[in-house]
Amino acid sequence: MGEMIHQDRLKRIANREDHQCFACGPGNDCGLKMTFFTDETAVYSWLSPAGHHRGWDRLVHGGITATVLDEIMSWAAIYLLKKVILTKQMTVTFLRPVTVGTNLRAEGRVQDNSHPREALMEGLLYDDGDRLCARAEGRYALMEPKVAARFDMMGEEALEDIKRIFEA
């Protein structure tokens, strides 16, 4: 079991209010609308997948579970390592079914940051009974904002927002 984390004791990580990311975009009506918090050692998010995120009858689709884990690991890398990231590789282990409407807690943390351009991250997903439902390990490419700009990965406004996250 994971240790009890209290959202009100964590710092909220700022996010853009107007973007359409499926996982964290507040403007995506079909998305997960994840928000992020930190204790400076990990990044956390609480969410409750809706009916349109289902696979089988009452179960959250495995792709949605994988998306939650990718997103929490991504934000952990962005915030904790102060880098723009791209997912290179990800492995998910599904440990127990996740039911639509269940309150979930996702956690992301750095496992290894010994390479300047790559990090190994861990993602964990707990249900409202604090039972581990899924875990993931991911490799993320790390880059400075100017490199992301050169690859035309995001617009200038998004790059400025990322820089503000780095300064928070």
Side-chain angles (χ1 to χ4, degrees):
M1 281 204 191
E3 71 180 66
M4 187 53 79
I5 306 296
H6 298 280
Q7 185 175 341
D8 59 343
R9 295 183 189 157
L10 302 173
K11 172 184 165 184
R12 183 165 181 176
I13 301 171
N15 191 5
R16 293 178 56 200
E17 295 297 322
D18 63 344
H19 72 111
Q20 298 290 316
C21 173
F22 176 76
C24 70
N28 188 327
D29 292 336
C30 295
L32 295 165
K33 300 181 188 320
M34 293 173 71
T35 56
F36 304 96
F37 300 83
T38 187
D39 61 4
E40 304 299 332
T41 62
V43 171
Y44 307 90
S45 185
W46 285 262
L47 67 149
S48 182
H52 61 273
H53 298 130
R54 79 180 72 236
W56 288 106
D57 188 31
R58 297 181 49 233
L59 299 182
V60 173
H61 192 283
I64 299 294
T65 300
T67 298
V68 169
L69 290 164
D70 182 36
E71 195 73 1
I72 199 68
M73 290 187 295
S74 295
W75 274 84
I78 290 166
Y79 182 81
L80 297 171
L81 301 176
K82 310 296 186 209
K83 299 287 185 186
V84 177
I85 59 88
L86 284 174
T87 308
K88 291 178 72 173
Q89 180 182 0
M90 186 172 126
T91 304
V92 178
T93 303
F94 300 92
L95 301 167
R96 61 185 318 112
V98 177
T99 306
V100 168
T102 299
N103 294 317
L104 302 172
R105 182 181 79 245
E107 300 180 10
R109 57 186 45 84
V110 179
Q111 280 189 327
D112 182 15
N113 183 32
S114 59
H115 191 284
R117 289 183 287 191
E118 183 177 286
L120 181 63
M121 306 297 294
E122 176 184 50
L124 303 168
L125 187 65
Y126 294 93
D127 66 13
D128 52 8
D130 211 29
R131 296 172 297 210
L132 185 61
C133 297
R135 68 183 328 249
E137 187 174 89
R139 288 199 180 282
Y140 291 80
L142 307 175
M143 63 193 83
E144 299 296 329
K146 64 184 177 187
V147 175
R150 199 168 49 235
F151 286 127
D152 199 26
M153 289 173 46
M154 57 184 77
E156 193 154 322
E157 186 178 334
L159 282 170
E160 290 304 314
D161 287 336
I162 289 284
K163 290 177 188 175
R164 280 191 283 280
I165 291 169
F166 293 171
E167 295 164 1

